[in-house]
Amino acid sequence: MVYTISLNTAIDEIIIAESNIQDIHNIIKDKQVSLGGKAIKTNVLLSKKKIDNLFLGIVGGENGKIYEEVLKQKGIKSKLIKSTTYKTRKTTIIVDDTKGGSTMFVENSQPISEEDKENFFKNIKKIKEKSIVLIAGSLPEGFSIIDYSETIKILKKKLCYIVCDASGEALNVAIKNEVSFIKPNEEEFINLFNIKEITEDYVHDKLKNIPNYALTLGSEGSIYKYQNIRGRIKILETYAIENKIKSTTGCGDMFVAGYILGVVLKQNPIITGTKYSMAKALSYYSDNYEEKIIKKIENYLEDECYI
Ligand code: TA6
């Protein structure tokens, strides 16, 4: 069973603007809705692949009701904490259909209550030993970095395979607790270590105590370590030339989903993570991907691995 934990859910509204976004007047070509928050993309992918998974999330307010409804429509198994204080956020993602870029506006969270937190830890303590557990996304008010660290410690005692998609102090806590896999992006890594640029040696040195990691570099691929093999995945420029990049919002989340799928299927998870991240870029949705491209994607990858 794969568990995912989302302490900060969101409904993503994707607005597709017809042409180069202007300052004054733009035409909306289309609008779509996706499940937001970073963790849920793993449940979306694993549910499509008929792999047993459970979404442990906090929802609340009107958007929380919509979230529950969409989970049901997508057939995603969940155990939800229905808060009376926290409210599931609205995220607005504006996609420029000409340039393929996307800009995201995320609402601030509302606090979770002490009761929500007690219910959360009751759920965490029920997680089966040696499970794969993903903790992903920002933390709402009311859930401290100490609570985050406590969650990881409980899962470590259960000998779980812990995957963290985090930023800032939460990313620092995941590194200090030597979780099983982390996936910082370039900005998150640069901000955490307060550096100006990234070198492969620096990344491997700073993350040397983490068993597996991928530092994702957008269209430049990633710097990774998996089972003591270090390397650099590069995405060929022909990918964006031969395929229409629709929106990169959610690509990092889908990398994590593909990584976990790879671990479950005993395939190279760095490659599967990269594949699903790239396929997500061909979809406007933040929680979906273009399935047809998956079998061809390895033609667009170079893997320079070194020990
Ligand atoms: O990375 C994209 C995304 O997960 C969107 O789906 C949107 O919901 C937002 O980021 C949520 O991020 P957060 O870190 O707050 O969970």
Side-chain angles (χ1 to χ4, degrees):
M1 166 80 92
V2 175
Y3 297 84
T4 72
I5 295 170
S6 182
L7 283 146
N8 213 353
T9 46
I11 289 287
D12 289 355
E13 183 177 60
I14 296 105
I15 295 173
I16 300 150
E18 193 157 64
S19 59
N20 291 305
I21 290 180
Q22 310 298 321
D23 293 342
I24 300 164
H25 183 268
N26 295 282
I27 305 288
I28 291 178
K29 180 177 171 186
D30 194 8
K31 277 205 279 194
Q32 288 159 357
V33 171
S34 288
L35 287 170
K38 296 187 181 333
I40 192 64
K41 286 49 172 225
T42 292
N43 303 90
V44 170
L45 177 58
L46 296 185
S47 299
K48 281 178 190 275
K49 302 294 181 184
K50 308 272 185 275
I51 293 169
D52 211 8
N53 67 93
L54 184 66
F55 175 70
L56 301 176
I58 294 184
V59 294
E62 284 312 304
N63 289 327
K65 293 191 181 84
I66 298 169
Y67 206 92
E68 265 189 274
E69 193 42 48
V70 178
L71 286 173
K72 283 194 193 99
Q73 287 165 11
K74 289 180 182 272
I76 293 173
K77 281 195 295 184
S78 65
K79 188 172 175 55
L80 298 174
I81 294 170
K82 298 178 187 178
S83 175
T84 55
T85 57
Y86 173 79
K87 291 194 173 20
T88 297
R89 302 164 296 165
K90 171 64 82 63
T91 302
T92 303
I93 297 162
I94 298 182
V95 175
D96 181 321
D97 202 27
T98 308
K99 288 188 286 190
S102 54
T103 308
M104 181 165 74
F105 300 85
V106 189
E107 278 182 340
N108 278 326
S109 315
Q110 299 297 316
I112 68 169
S113 65
E114 276 310 307
E115 185 192 359
D116 293 336
K117 197 152 63 169
E118 280 159 31
N119 290 333
F120 169 79
F121 280 109
K122 275 184 199 151
N123 288 344
I124 295 301
K125 286 167 185 159
K126 288 177 191 159
I127 286 178
K128 292 191 188 83
E129 287 213 341
K130 299 184 181 172
S131 300
I132 297 173
V133 184
L134 166 65
I135 314 172
S138 58
L139 305 178
E141 213 183 302
F143 194 88
S144 71
I145 204 68
I146 293 161
D147 297 321
Y148 185 80
S149 184
E150 179 56 25
T151 303
I152 291 176
K153 288 181 170 55
I154 293 169
L155 295 172
K156 286 199 82 142
K157 279 198 191 102
K158 289 175 175 281
L159 306 176
C160 289
Y161 187 103
I162 306 169
V163 175
C164 289
D165 187 357
S167 59
E169 193 44 38
L171 176 58
N172 199 27
V173 164
I175 293 170
K176 287 194 165 42
N177 281 282
E178 299 177 5
V179 297
S180 313
F181 177 74
I182 57 170
K183 186 221 61 74
N185 63 31
E186 191 169 13
E187 185 188 3
E188 290 162 348
F189 188 85
I190 282 175
N191 289 342
L192 181 65
F193 293 106
N194 195 19
I195 51 173
K196 294 230 180 324
E197 61 172 14
I198 283 176
T199 66
E200 290 182 41
D201 288 347
Y202 186 87
V203 171
H204 294 312
D205 176 55
K206 285 295 179 185
L207 301 183
K208 59 180 175 293
N209 295 331
I210 300 285
N212 310 288
Y213 51 79
L215 188 140
T216 51
L217 305 165
S219 60
E220 301 298 311
S222 63
I223 299 167
Y224 71 86
K225 178 175 83 174
Y226 180 64
Q227 293 185 340
N228 275 326
I229 301 220
R230 291 166 178 73
R232 180 83 171 73
I233 296 265
K234 288 186 177 168
I235 299 170
L236 302 183
E237 284 178 10
T238 46
Y239 184 65
I241 294 165
E242 295 171 10
N243 301 279
K244 179 171 171 44
I245 302 297
K246 291 184 176 171
S247 169
T248 56
T249 299
C251 284
D253 311 346
M254 205 52 86
F255 186 106
V256 172
Y259 178 90
I260 290 174
L261 177 66
V263 170
V264 171
L265 297 180
K266 299 186 176 11
Q267 295 171 359
N268 178 334
I270 301 291
I271 298 291
T272 49
T274 306
K275 281 182 180 178
Y276 282 94
S277 177
M278 290 165 70
K280 184 346 288 170
L282 306 189
S283 168
Y284 290 120
Y285 291 90
S286 57
D287 66 357
N288 206 343
Y289 60 92
E290 180 53 68
E291 183 70 55
K292 289 197 293 292
I293 194 75
I294 292 290
K295 53 187 179 299
K296 293 188 284 185
I297 269 189
E298 291 208 44
N299 302 332
Y300 295 103
L301 294 182
E302 272 176 8
D303 181 4
E304 296 163 6
C305 61
Y306 39 87
I307 303 292

mmCIF file of all heavy atoms in Angstrom, residues 21 37 62 71 101 103 117 165 189 193 211 217 231 239 254 258 266 281 286:
data_model
loop_
_atom_site.group_PDB
_atom_site.id
_atom_site.type_symbol
_atom_site.label_atom_id
_atom_site.label_comp_id
_atom_site.label_asym_id
_atom_site.label_seq_id
_atom_site.Cartn_x
_atom_site.Cartn_y
_atom_site.Cartn_z
ATOM 1 N N ILE A 21 -0.073 36.608 -23.404
ATOM 2 C CA ILE A 21 -0.867 37.325 -22.397
ATOM 3 C C ILE A 21 -0.493 38.820 -22.415
ATOM 4 O O ILE A 21 0.684 39.172 -22.327
ATOM 5 C CB ILE A 21 -0.643 36.710 -20.999
ATOM 6 C CG1 ILE A 21 -1.311 35.320 -20.990
ATOM 7 C CG2 ILE A 21 -1.233 37.600 -19.907
ATOM 8 C CD1 ILE A 21 -1.179 34.564 -19.694
ATOM 9 N N GLY A 37 -2.547 20.556 -4.609
ATOM 10 C CA GLY A 37 -1.734 20.029 -3.520
ATOM 11 C C GLY A 37 -0.814 19.013 -4.182
ATOM 12 O O GLY A 37 -1.185 18.358 -5.166
ATOM 13 N N GLU A 62 -16.091 25.093 1.236
ATOM 14 C CA GLU A 62 -16.768 24.739 -0.033
ATOM 15 C C GLU A 62 -15.816 23.983 -0.977
ATOM 16 O O GLU A 62 -16.194 22.978 -1.590
ATOM 17 C CB GLU A 62 -17.281 26.010 -0.726
ATOM 18 C CG GLU A 62 -18.542 26.576 -0.073
ATOM 19 C CD GLU A 62 -19.602 25.488 0.163
ATOM 20 O OE1 GLU A 62 -19.986 24.797 -0.835
ATOM 21 O OE2 GLU A 62 -20.000 25.275 1.334
ATOM 22 N N LEU A 71 -12.495 13.454 -5.838
ATOM 23 C CA LEU A 71 -11.820 12.200 -5.430
ATOM 24 C C LEU A 71 -12.721 11.005 -5.763
ATOM 25 O O LEU A 71 -12.257 10.006 -6.320
ATOM 26 C CB LEU A 71 -11.524 12.214 -3.932
ATOM 27 C CG LEU A 71 -10.382 13.095 -3.431
ATOM 28 C CD1 LEU A 71 -10.342 13.105 -1.901
ATOM 29 C CD2 LEU A 71 -9.033 12.668 -3.997
ATOM 30 N N GLY A 101 3.880 28.879 -21.280
ATOM 31 C CA GLY A 101 4.237 29.146 -19.879
ATOM 32 C C GLY A 101 2.999 29.143 -18.999
ATOM 33 O O GLY A 101 1.887 29.249 -19.499
ATOM 34 N N THR A 103 1.503 30.514 -14.965
ATOM 35 C CA THR A 103 1.728 31.294 -13.735
ATOM 36 C C THR A 103 0.689 30.861 -12.713
ATOM 37 O O THR A 103 -0.482 30.703 -13.058
ATOM 38 C CB THR A 103 1.534 32.806 -14.033
ATOM 39 O OG1 THR A 103 2.335 33.135 -15.153
ATOM 40 C CG2 THR A 103 1.927 33.667 -12.840
ATOM 41 N N LYS A 117 -5.233 18.077 14.222
ATOM 42 C CA LYS A 117 -3.868 17.546 14.359
ATOM 43 C C LYS A 117 -3.897 16.193 15.105
ATOM 44 O O LYS A 117 -3.216 15.240 14.722
ATOM 45 C CB LYS A 117 -2.988 18.550 15.107
ATOM 46 C CG LYS A 117 -1.517 18.266 14.925
ATOM 47 C CD LYS A 117 -0.669 19.519 15.032
ATOM 48 C CE LYS A 117 -0.722 20.179 16.384
ATOM 49 N NZ LYS A 117 0.319 21.234 16.536
ATOM 50 N N ASP A 165 8.409 15.703 -0.584
ATOM 51 C CA ASP A 165 8.469 16.795 -1.570
ATOM 52 C C ASP A 165 8.169 18.070 -0.781
ATOM 53 O O ASP A 165 7.013 18.345 -0.451
ATOM 54 C CB ASP A 165 7.437 16.584 -2.686
ATOM 55 C CG ASP A 165 7.606 17.621 -3.800
ATOM 56 O OD1 ASP A 165 8.477 18.518 -3.658
ATOM 57 O OD2 ASP A 165 6.852 17.537 -4.794
ATOM 58 N N PHE A 189 16.410 24.287 -3.702
ATOM 59 C CA PHE A 189 17.766 23.923 -3.259
ATOM 60 C C PHE A 189 18.619 25.183 -3.069
ATOM 61 O O PHE A 189 19.297 25.357 -2.053
ATOM 62 C CB PHE A 189 18.409 22.994 -4.291
ATOM 63 C CG PHE A 189 19.722 22.400 -3.843
ATOM 64 C CD1 PHE A 189 19.754 21.242 -3.067
ATOM 65 C CD2 PHE A 189 20.923 22.997 -4.191
ATOM 66 C CE1 PHE A 189 20.970 20.691 -2.650
ATOM 67 C CE2 PHE A 189 22.139 22.466 -3.766
ATOM 68 C CZ PHE A 189 22.153 21.307 -2.994
ATOM 69 N N PHE A 193 20.200 26.486 0.653
ATOM 70 C CA PHE A 193 21.652 26.570 0.942
ATOM 71 C C PHE A 193 22.206 27.959 0.649
ATOM 72 O O PHE A 193 23.422 28.172 0.710
ATOM 73 C CB PHE A 193 22.399 25.485 0.164
ATOM 74 C CG PHE A 193 22.049 24.094 0.661
ATOM 75 C CD1 PHE A 193 21.227 23.264 -0.090
ATOM 76 C CD2 PHE A 193 22.494 23.643 1.906
ATOM 77 C CE1 PHE A 193 20.859 22.003 0.385
ATOM 78 C CE2 PHE A 193 22.154 22.378 2.384
ATOM 79 C CZ PHE A 193 21.333 21.558 1.624
ATOM 80 N N PRO A 211 19.707 8.660 0.975
ATOM 81 C CA PRO A 211 19.930 7.473 0.116
ATOM 82 C C PRO A 211 19.621 7.713 -1.362
ATOM 83 O O PRO A 211 20.362 7.288 -2.242
ATOM 84 C CB PRO A 211 18.991 6.417 0.699
ATOM 85 C CG PRO A 211 18.573 6.908 2.036
ATOM 86 C CD PRO A 211 18.750 8.384 2.051
ATOM 87 N N LEU A 217 15.623 20.086 -12.592
ATOM 88 C CA LEU A 217 16.071 21.324 -13.239
ATOM 89 C C LEU A 217 15.151 21.686 -14.405
ATOM 90 O O LEU A 217 15.598 22.193 -15.437
ATOM 91 C CB LEU A 217 17.515 21.133 -13.730
ATOM 92 C CG LEU A 217 18.535 20.692 -12.660
ATOM 93 C CD1 LEU A 217 19.810 20.190 -13.310
ATOM 94 C CD2 LEU A 217 18.823 21.825 -11.692
ATOM 95 N N GLY A 231 24.161 10.523 -11.055
ATOM 96 C CA GLY A 231 24.111 10.795 -12.485
ATOM 97 C C GLY A 231 23.358 12.063 -12.823
ATOM 98 O O GLY A 231 22.945 12.819 -11.943
ATOM 99 N N TYR A 239 12.473 17.444 -27.636
ATOM 100 C CA TYR A 239 11.204 17.098 -26.968
ATOM 101 C C TYR A 239 10.205 18.256 -27.102
ATOM 102 O O TYR A 239 9.053 18.064 -27.494
ATOM 103 C CB TYR A 239 11.432 16.770 -25.500
ATOM 104 C CG TYR A 239 10.167 16.322 -24.796
ATOM 105 C CD1 TYR A 239 9.526 15.132 -25.175
ATOM 106 C CD2 TYR A 239 9.563 17.070 -23.785
ATOM 107 C CE1 TYR A 239 8.349 14.711 -24.550
ATOM 108 C CE2 TYR A 239 8.399 16.666 -23.165
ATOM 109 C CZ TYR A 239 7.795 15.483 -23.557
ATOM 110 O OH TYR A 239 6.610 15.068 -22.942
ATOM 111 N N MET A 254 4.403 15.338 -10.523
ATOM 112 C CA MET A 254 4.254 14.106 -11.324
ATOM 113 C C MET A 254 5.585 13.361 -11.391
ATOM 114 O O MET A 254 5.606 12.142 -11.578
ATOM 115 C CB MET A 254 3.741 14.442 -12.721
ATOM 116 C CG MET A 254 2.991 13.324 -13.417
ATOM 117 S SD MET A 254 1.643 12.587 -12.481
ATOM 118 C CE MET A 254 0.300 13.696 -12.901
ATOM 119 N N GLY A 258 5.761 9.495 -10.552
ATOM 120 C CA GLY A 258 6.423 8.508 -11.424
ATOM 121 C C GLY A 258 7.548 7.785 -10.695
ATOM 122 O O GLY A 258 7.780 6.588 -10.909
ATOM 123 N N LYS A 266 9.548 -1.872 -9.471
ATOM 124 C CA LYS A 266 10.972 -2.268 -9.525
ATOM 125 C C LYS A 266 11.613 -1.894 -10.863
ATOM 126 O O LYS A 266 12.352 -2.677 -11.470
ATOM 127 C CB LYS A 266 11.133 -3.759 -9.205
ATOM 128 C CG LYS A 266 10.646 -4.124 -7.791
ATOM 129 C CD LYS A 266 10.910 -5.543 -7.408
ATOM 130 C CE LYS A 266 10.530 -5.923 -5.971
ATOM 131 N NZ LYS A 266 9.726 -4.976 -5.198
ATOM 132 N N ALA A 281 3.817 17.756 -18.805
ATOM 133 C CA ALA A 281 3.989 19.055 -19.485
ATOM 134 C C ALA A 281 3.150 19.135 -20.764
ATOM 135 O O ALA A 281 2.869 20.226 -21.255
ATOM 136 C CB ALA A 281 5.474 19.284 -19.812
ATOM 137 N N SER A 286 -3.125 20.076 -14.001
ATOM 138 C CA SER A 286 -1.976 19.964 -13.080
ATOM 139 C C SER A 286 -1.923 18.567 -12.468
ATOM 140 O O SER A 286 -0.954 18.212 -11.823
ATOM 141 C CB SER A 286 -2.096 21.019 -11.968
ATOM 142 O OG SER A 286 -3.341 20.861 -11.283
#
